[in-house]
Amino acid sequence: QDDFTAAIDSGASDKHRERLIHDGYTHFKQPGLDLPFDKIHDLSNKMVADGVPPVFGFVYDEMWSISTRIRNIIGQMFDGEEYYQLPDFWSWNVSPGQKGWAPHRDKGHRSLYKDNSPKSLTVWIPTIEATPVNGCMYIVPAYFDKGYGRGKVAPNGGNLPPQMELSHIRALPGQQGDVFVWTQHAFHWGS
């Protein structure tokens, strides 16, 4: 068991929680996870070169220790309540010329309470600097998404994408070890 957790100031956690509810996402810049991200990134590259999906990197303790180290951050996003990790985890390596996840919502409107506070969250932690040039996440803030928190469903059963202006889209560039958190109804994609 890894007892190290990133420290988070209660005042800062309140601001992040408010942003999560209002915007649908938040960004913890360099929370001090103290993990070997260079080695994790090198492992991912080696696995891709060997034809092995990077998610198989979870056979190593360093990958699992991420969830322990962010437990204070995630706990504060649930207002200090106890939470459980869903069996949904992934490791993604976007090589030059490839693309990330297509635009989507992870779990839909049922992942939010009536006040738009989260029942479940998605976390993304870049293992290298992530930019619009080499690949980062993109998101439509909740306040621009008229369908956010509502159960508007497409004919195929999926959640309808937001009707938005291109200027509503936000790039989420980040440094190695930053922690991005969004609700599972936030409309987002990878590049």
Side-chain angles (χ1 to χ4, degrees):
Q1 170 90 19
D2 185 349
D3 290 329
F4 176 87
T5 58
I8 180 169
D9 173 86
S10 62
S13 69
D14 289 344
K15 289 178 184 173
H16 281 287
R17 183 169 163 72
E18 288 169 15
R19 184 172 185 206
L20 183 68
I21 292 168
H22 181 262
D23 298 0
Y25 72 99
T26 192
H27 177 187
F28 293 86
K29 295 179 182 180
Q30 297 297 294
L33 298 183
D34 192 31
L35 287 164
F37 286 111
D38 288 332
K39 290 181 180 179
I40 291 170
H41 181 71
D42 291 345
L43 170 66
S44 178
N45 284 336
K46 173 129 180 49
M47 294 178 87
V48 168
D50 292 343
V52 177
V55 73
F56 283 96
F58 280 94
V59 300
Y60 296 101
D61 291 341
E62 289 80 4
M63 297 290 281
W64 288 108
S65 69
I66 293 170
S67 63
T68 303
R69 292 178 185 233
I70 64 172
R71 83 173 159 240
N72 286 345
I73 292 171
I74 303 306
Q76 291 303 315
M77 296 305 94
F78 289 117
D79 205 17
E81 298 292 322
E82 185 177 359
Y83 71 92
Y84 299 95
Q85 182 173 329
L86 294 169
D88 295 338
F89 52 90
W90 200 255
S91 178
W92 196 253
N93 184 311
V94 182
S95 300
Q98 291 184 321
K99 59 183 179 177
W101 292 101
H104 67 284
R105 300 181 194 274
D106 291 329
K107 299 282 184 206
H109 73 281
R110 287 184 220 100
S111 65
L112 297 172
Y113 291 105
K114 289 182 181 181
D115 67 351
N116 285 343
S117 63
K119 293 180 185 178
S120 58
L121 296 171
T122 295
V123 177
W124 172 56
I125 303 171
T127 60
I128 61 168
E129 181 180 10
T131 70
V133 174
N134 71 353
C136 67
M137 298 301 294
Y138 289 83
I139 197 162
V140 176
Y143 54 85
F144 281 135
D145 183 350
K146 292 181 178 143
Y148 189 83
R150 295 171 189 80
K152 296 182 180 180
V153 178
N156 67 2
N159 283 284
L160 289 171
Q163 298 210 347
M164 62 181 181
E165 300 291 328
L166 290 176
S167 61
H168 294 170
I169 297 168
R170 299 291 182 261
L172 300 180
Q175 297 297 310
Q176 178 186 63
D178 282 2
V179 177
F180 292 85
V181 180
W182 56 82
T183 71
Q184 294 200 311
H185 196 226
F187 193 74
H188 65 284
W189 59 96
S191 64

